[in-house]
Amino acid sequence: MRVAVIGAGMSGILAAIKLRERGDEVVVHEKAATLGGTWRDNTYPGLSCDVPSHVYAYSFELKGDWTKRFSPGAEIQAYFEGVARRYGVTDVIRFNSEVVRAVHEGGRWRLHTKDGRDDTADAVIAATGVLHVPAYPDIAGLEDFGGACFHSARWDHSVPLDGRRIGVIGTGSTAIQIVPALADRAKELVLFQRTAQWVLPLANPAYSEDEKAMYLRSPEALRQSYDFWAKRFVDTFAEAVIGNEAELAKIEAACRANLEDNVRDPELRRRLTPDYRAACKRLIMSEEFYPAMQKPGVRLVTDGIERVEAAGVRTKDGRLHALDMLVLATGFDGHAFLRPMEVVGEGGRTLAEAWSHANEAYRSVAVPGFPNFFMLVGPNSPIGNFSVIQISELQIAYIQQLLDLVRDGRCSAIAPTAAASQRFNSALREAMKGTVWVTGCRSWYLDRNGNPALWPWSFDRFRAEMRSPDLADFALL
Ligand code: NAP
């Protein structure tokens, strides 16, 4: 079977490895000149992963010598490059090959790329990521700014930082990593906060040489560490967000204590205090943010942005904050999924038409009417505060079982039925009512209908649902 994978980030590399293990012919179309997805695109100062290193790795390629408990971004990028090379995936990636259209015709998928080339495949796996399309803020005058201005995921490393007046818009996980990294370098650092965040203090110690040597020597110890962190996240965050009030109360108390213990000035504390429940937005983990906000030259601005001018940012109180450079840490469109690619399924129906009301997939991995078309980390995957790599691994194992039916000749294509997909999605919507994400905050989790694009059930349920497909929910073609 020939399978086209779209995207050479974490999920695409994984898919290529696993499909090739089954003997499939694989081509990975990657729109950029290099692999790595998120870890290629994001290079901002302070970038690191807030999922522990030992669990933020493929389960079959654990790495013993991460330098810190939470890895710096560059180390993660190097890890993916290394794994892709070792498994021969780099050789099957077509770089600079942006798929603009995928059409199901004559029982196969025909892919058209931006550079005018065609490819055909028996199956397609879209591994195009979730937080991939930068969200630019709708702020008047942004284009008038006289200094350097860029999105956090498009960092311009030619722009000097030392001794400059730097503005950062946003207070998400990204901004909270950027601020401590720039606090000692900038002459002035101004953080424009629209909404305060709950911040959980998580220490990020470096692994000692002895620890690294021990993990390199002992796959058993490394596996235990993987299991420990995976379980810890599942037992705490994953439970707290779906209605386990006791777990949520613990997280809330830890965040509140962090704020009270580590922000001395009562006025600054008041302005940094959120007015919504912890974990309603994605929880932020940092021991460095509050200390950074109290350094000389660092200012928190909460007055609201009126407009951007050539000289800086003018806030609603009329004040001009003069700046040399402006960072837009304003996040991503978490609902863009495969867009702007056009995907055309059975009967000429496009995915845009199928998703005109909402991004709805069957168990996050497939869509009725799109045979042999699968997604990794698709809509309503259990992303949040745990390792998306684990999620992707469970999804590809599930997809493999579906593709086995094609490989074994039991059918030539497979897709979920519309009825099964509707059942799944109405159960999802119902279950969302019990989650913390709908308790009254704005976040990238919520789609345009106000529904979170997440998994409202336990991680164990996800694992169980991904164990083996229920073939009654599928049409075998
Ligand atoms: P984000 O969480 O969506 O935060 C965007 C920020 O920009 C918010 O504070 C938002 O304010 C603000 N904003 C947006 N438009 C604005 C406007 N017009 N005026 C003023 N403020 C505006 O984005 P992110 O920080 O890039 O993080 C996105 C996700 O990436 C995270 O939730 C996480 O899943 C992932 N991430 C992970 C890590 C990691 O270590 N694993 C690191 C970075 C990012 P409001 O809150 O008021 O909307």
Side-chain angles (χ1 to χ4, degrees), residues 39 44 47-51 56 131 135-139 151-152 169-177 192-197 281-282 284 305 329-332 384 442-445:
W39 301 104
Y44 59 77
L47 172 70
S48 83
C49 183
D50 58 15
V51 174
Y56 197 83
L131 299 167
Y136 286 88
D138 185 14
I139 299 175
H151 190 275
S152 55
I169 300 180
T171 49
S173 306
T174 300
I176 265 91
Q177 293 182 342
F192 296 94
Q193 170 186 288
R194 186 164 68 180
T195 310
Q197 287 275 11
K281 287 168 177 289
R282 184 177 185 276
I284 301 227
I305 297 173
T330 44
F332 302 86
R442 173 177 42 210
S443 78
W444 67 260
Y445 290 162

